[in-house]
Each structure stands twice: as structure tokens, then as C-alpha cells.
Amino acid sequence: MKVVKFGGSSLATGNQLEKVLQIVKEDKERRIVVVSAPGKRYEEDTKVTDLLIQCATAVLNGGSPSPYLEEVLARYASIAKELDLSSDIIANIKTDLLELIKNADDKDAFMEAMKASGEDNNAKLVAHFFKDRGLDAIYVSPKEAGLIVSDHPGNAQVLADSYDRLFALREQKNIIVFPGFFGYNESGEVVTFSRSGSDITGAILANGVKADLYENFTDVDAVYSVNPSIVKQPKEIKELTYREMRELSYAGFSVFHAEALIPAYRAGIPVQVRNTNNPSAPGTRIVASRSNTNGPVVGIANDKGFCSIYISKYLMNREVGFARKVLSILEEYHISYEHMPSGIDDLTIVLRQDQLTGKSEQEILARISDELHVDEIKVEHDLALIMLVGEGMRHNVGTNARASKALAEAGVNIEMINQGSSEVSMMFGVKETVVKKAVKAIYEEFFQ
Ligand SMILES: Nc1ncnc2c1ncn2[C@@H]1O[C@H](COP(=O)(O)OP(=O)(O)O)[C@@H](O)[C@H]1O
Ligand SMILES: N[C@@H](CC(=O)OP(=O)(O)O)C(=O)O
């Protein structure tokens, strides 16, 4: 049995849905189909999820939802029209959205329900389309399947006892069409995963039903060794380990959600990333272990929006609890950090910049400075992180030197280096303004 997930780009038009139908029809093992909301049809387009967020925001600000509602309905209606589906399906979506809009008293619950409706209504539309084309398909709601999640709006986590309930889906004779991106909390309210979280739903279902394979259909032939918006036609990756993919997706490979690997990994289910627009391409397979034939680096990911807090104090190494005290100040401001490279008398904390406001930044610096009597403290803004990832790094010497040399030759100043303790990744911090140049230089060093 296979669980198949189709992303928003695979479901953006009627023509895309025809491709999805063919893919599902051509393999009888494809029994559970997880769908996102309709995504972008072209670069400047808006995803249905973003339209729904705009709609809910308008309602919460006392404005009119009408223009956004019309746009959302027009997206579904154009798909239905292209596929020649009956108008009932659009009427039902309209009724659902109008009902949702009546319940805006609890702001969080309202926003969550509006966001989730994108996938929920799309799953109903896709199931209707499949049935119309003769497939024995059925829409299944996460509530009836028992997909229960933690109560963290926009950041839910699956609760472990969901898996046993989901196992029952194996018994279902029809093809199941299941909405991605959300589950229900223990009080029965909708809670969404983080953005792009339909990948997570697919992995949870694959684990629950103990699938043989989790296929993730998107709009690229493979996971590339670098973001294709930075390097044209980069090398395709044939095989990755779960650990490599997790590091890469966390560091910027948006093609697969970083949290979607854990459920598949725990159940030992291989993941195959494939292209809806070119289903005969083999794609990228993500597995527990792979033979190492490609050298030290398998992929280079990058992401912007970081800052670093540099702290220096003479004899920091002898001060028991220094780092803990710094981190507990950050904790009071609900700030999480990404990396913490350290030396004898200094340490740097790298964090996502959007967690700081001008005011909180000043307060944090003042508190660290006063309470820990540091010699120097400064913040560096607008940093990008570049992550080199590869299981082969452990067995190859000189990876760091090769990357540093490539950056030096490209005239890129390295702000910071951190070798992850996992030994499968190595991080370079550079100014955001030079990140593309830096990534290209490292790519050329390792792949060309
Ligand atoms: N290393 C990479 N390999 C492949 N695609 C990548 C990579 N890094 C970023 N991407 C982007 O991820 C996109 C696919 O992910 P996404 O837009 O979330 O698809 P979907 O709509 O299927 O969920 C690709 O179109 C590509 O622009
Ligand atoms: N539609 C949701 C969830 C999702 O997974 O979408 P996509 O498959 O288009 O990345 C979002 O935009 O966040």
C-alpha cells in the first residue's frame, strides 16, 4: 500500500487534477491520497491558503470578507468548470465558507478553521472528481479517522495514539482522499500544522497504515543538490538518508517539510519525491541508509533571516553555568536558537531574527551585559546560513577547507562556521547580500 501526497502546485488547475487522476489510476497500490489546497498556477499567483488567511484577517479586523471569498470560490469554480463537474460541489464549498465566517468570536479557532478549509474543501472536490471519472473514491475527514494533534495553532504535532486509530484506514476498500495540513485537538477543534504541512499529514498516514512507500508529488523532477532558483539545472539527488533530508529541509530545501520525515523514519517507510508533471522521472528516494558514492557533500541548503548575538568574557570557560544563564534569559522572551558555536572566552548564539523586536533586543542585550558582566556583546543582523550536508563528510577530510577556499576565492567573508555535532552537516554564516554568490561558489567546488 502506498500513501501519495499531492502538493498545491499539483492541484492548482483542472489540467493538473487530470494528471493526478492518471497517477492514482496507474498504480493500484496508491490507496491513500493526501491533498493540499490549490497552490500557485504561475509565479505571481496567490495560494488558496494565503487567500483564506487574508479573508480571515479581514473579518477579524472588522472588514468585509467578500472580495477574498469570491477569489477563493473562483479558484475552485474554475477547476470544477475545467473538469466539467456539477455546480453542487461549488455551492457546498460556498455554504461551508459562509458558515465558517459566522464563527469568528474565538480568533485563533476561527483562523485555524479558515486555513484548514482550503485542504478540506479541496479533498471533497478531488474525491468528487475521482468518483465522476469512475474511481471508487471517498473523502475521509481527519476527525473521523482520529488524527488528533496538540493544541498549538499553526504548529500542531500529532499525538502518538493517533497512529493506532489511523491503522484502521487499511481496511477501507475505496481510494481515500484525505485533506492535508490539519488535525483536531482533543476538544474537537481544527488545528493546523506549520505552513506546507500537508507533507506532514502524508507522513503520519504512511506511518499509521504502515505503508510500503510514501510518495510525495510536487513540481520538480527530484530534490536537487542546491535550490534551483540559485543554480540553473542543478544536479539531481537520487538517494538521501532521512537525516540528510531533515538537515537540508530544515536549512532551506522547501521541497519537503522538515517535520515530515520523523513519522516516516520511525516506521522505516521510504519516501519518494516525484514530479506530477513528469511522473516517469524516478525522483529522489529517502531511506535509512545509502551507499556513499558521491563524495562528502550531497546537498547545499541556504536560508535567510538570521542574526547572531556575540558575547565575549575573559575566563568564560571557567564560569560554571554561563551558557545556561544566557539561554534562560532568551527563554524568558520565548526565543529559540539555531546554533551556538563557542570558544574559550566567547560564544555566539544564532537565532531567527523575526523573534526579536527592537525593544526586546535592547532589553536582552542589557540583561546579558548587566547580569553576566560580559566584556563585549554585539548583534549582527541580516545573516544567511549555508548548510553543507552529506553522510560522506565523516569519512572525508578537508571538506571545511574546500568550502572555505571556495568562499575566499569568491571574495565572500565568512561571519561564522559551525560543524554540527551530527557530523553530517557543516554551517557557514554569511551576510544575506552575498548568499547567492557564496552558494554558487560552494556548489562549483563540490559538484562541477
Ligand atoms: N533543493 C531543492 N530541490 C528541489 N526543489 C527545491 C529545492 N529547494 C527549493 N525547492 C523548491 O521547492 C518547490 C516545491 O515545493 P513546494 O512549492 O512546496 O511544492 P508543492 O506545491 O508540491 O507542495 C520547487 O518548485 C522548488 O522551487
Ligand atoms: N496549503 C498549506 C499546506 C501545504 O502543504 O501546502 P503546499 O503543499 O502547497 O506546500 C500551505 O500553503 O501552507
Side-chain angles (χ1 to χ4, degrees), residues 5 7-9 196 217-220 222-224 226-228 252-255:
K5 179 257 170 178
S9 54
S196 293
F217 279 88
T218 180
D219 64 349
V220 279
V223 178
Y224 298 116
V226 68
N227 190 323
F253 275 21
S254 53
V255 59

Side-chain angles (χ1 to χ4, degrees), residues 387-401:
M387 195 68 89
L388 276 63
V389 176
E391 299 272 358
M393 243 178 235
R394 261 175 298 171
H395 316 292
N396 282 271
V397 286
T399 309
N400 189 331

Side-chain angles (χ1 to χ4, degrees), residues 5-11 36-37 39-40 47 196 198-199 216-229 234 237 245 248 252-256 273-274 276 300-301:
K5 179 257 170 178
F6 291 93
S9 54
S10 304
L11 301 159
S36 292
K40 292 185 180 192
K47 286 171 136 193
S196 293
S198 301
D199 287 345
N216 193 287
F217 279 88
T218 180
D219 64 349
V220 279
D221 274 355
V223 178
Y224 298 116
S225 45
V226 68
N227 190 323
S229 69
I237 305 175
M245 188 69 226
L248 287 166
F253 275 21
S254 53
V255 59
F256 194 69
V273 176
R274 306 187 64 173
T276 300
I300 304 161

Side-chain angles (χ1 to χ4, degrees), residues 308-312 348-349 361 365 374 376-380:
S308 68
I309 304 177
Y310 170 82
I311 306 165
S312 140
T348 302
I349 300 167
E361 180 177 320
L365 295 192
V374 303
E376 187 185 355
I377 180 161
K378 63 180 181 196
V379 179
E380 193 88 48

